[in-house]
Amino acid sequence: PSVSNHSGTYTTGYDSMARPSTLVDNSNNAWASNVAYGPSNEPLSLNNETRTYNSRLQLTSVVVTVGGVAQFSQVYMYPTNGTNNGKAIQQNDVVSGTIYVAYTYLPELISLYQKEEQDAEAALEKWKICIQKRNDGFKACEEKYPEHGKKWDDCLKAVLEQYDICRGIKAPKPSAPSAPGSKF
């Protein structure tokens, strides 16, 4: 089917299961291509974007590559200690190194460091350094395994395990994580 508006005509193509797979304008410019779906109809790819999911079909990563280089790469983490209520506890921007932490998670981590450091600023700074090292690990995984797959997953898991313990203090698992919101 085609749809026309003031700027042109757009035609949508569908795959064998009647899912949208292409979008082309009247000048034959492809607006959507390389579309793939998983067994539960979850979107796996669109143009240069690739998505991965965990066994609960929760989004775990979104990567956009141009010329083989990741321009956008987000990793989403969920609790693994039986409290997974569907809300991500952490989001990492692998390209910029920015980490977004769930509201309830960050104060617990800071308080752990405050037990070791009397100064809250010093405690927060130590935590930021630890997280930066973990981000560096994520970037290394991205560079080493840009195609994402089992080796990439294993690399990310190893980084998470290594930096879940920062300076010998085990990070607490949140009892009721909320949506990501605090930016560090």
Side-chain angles (χ1 to χ4, degrees):
S2 296
V3 175
S4 294
N5 64 20
H6 65 279
S7 62
T9 301
Y10 297 89
T11 304
T12 305
Y14 297 89
D15 67 11
S16 62
M17 294 183 65
R19 299 173 298 199
S21 60
T22 60
L23 180 64
V24 179
D25 67 17
N26 57 332
S27 297
N28 211 26
N29 295 313
W31 291 87
S33 62
N34 189 32
V35 178
Y37 298 91
S40 298
N41 289 323
E42 70 277 16
L44 299 176
S45 65
L46 168 68
N47 298 333
N48 296 331
E49 178 182 300
T50 304
R51 294 171 176 239
T52 58
Y53 301 84
N54 64 18
S55 61
R56 297 180 75 176
L57 292 177
Q58 294 168 314
L59 184 65
T60 56
S61 72
V62 178
V63 178
V64 177
T65 58
V66 177
V69 177
Q71 301 297 313
F72 176 88
S73 182
Q74 300 286 309
V75 176
Y76 305 93
M77 288 171 241
Y78 303 88
T80 57
N81 62 348
T83 62
N84 187 341
N85 64 359
K87 295 180 182 179
I89 58 169
Q90 187 168 315
Q91 174 185 350
N92 297 330
D93 182 333
V94 178
V95 174
S96 74
T98 304
I99 294 182
Y100 302 88
V101 181
Y103 287 117
T104 58
Y105 196 50
L106 184 59
E108 292 172 3
L109 285 172
I110 292 172
S111 68
L112 280 176
Y113 280 101
Q114 281 182 312
K115 289 177 184 173
E116 186 178 289
E117 295 285 334
Q118 298 303 312
D119 179 10
E121 289 288 322
L124 182 58
E125 197 55 39
K126 276 189 174 181
W127 183 75
K128 284 181 180 181
I129 290 168
C130 179
I131 294 302
Q132 184 58 52
K133 287 180 182 177
R134 186 168 74 175
N135 262 8
D136 292 344
F138 288 144
K139 285 181 184 178
C141 292
E142 187 69 30
E143 290 168 6
K144 192 170 184 179
Y145 305 108
E147 71 283 352
H148 292 196
K150 175 134 178 50
K151 288 183 179 182
W152 180 72
D153 288 340
D154 291 344
C155 183
L156 287 180
K157 286 177 188 173
V159 169
L160 285 172
E161 287 173 12
Q162 182 178 359
Y163 290 105
D164 199 32
I165 300 172
C166 292
R167 297 207 49 197
I169 302 174
K170 179 99 174 118
K173 300 295 181 199
S175 56
S178 61
S182 295
K183 181 178 174 182
F184 284 95

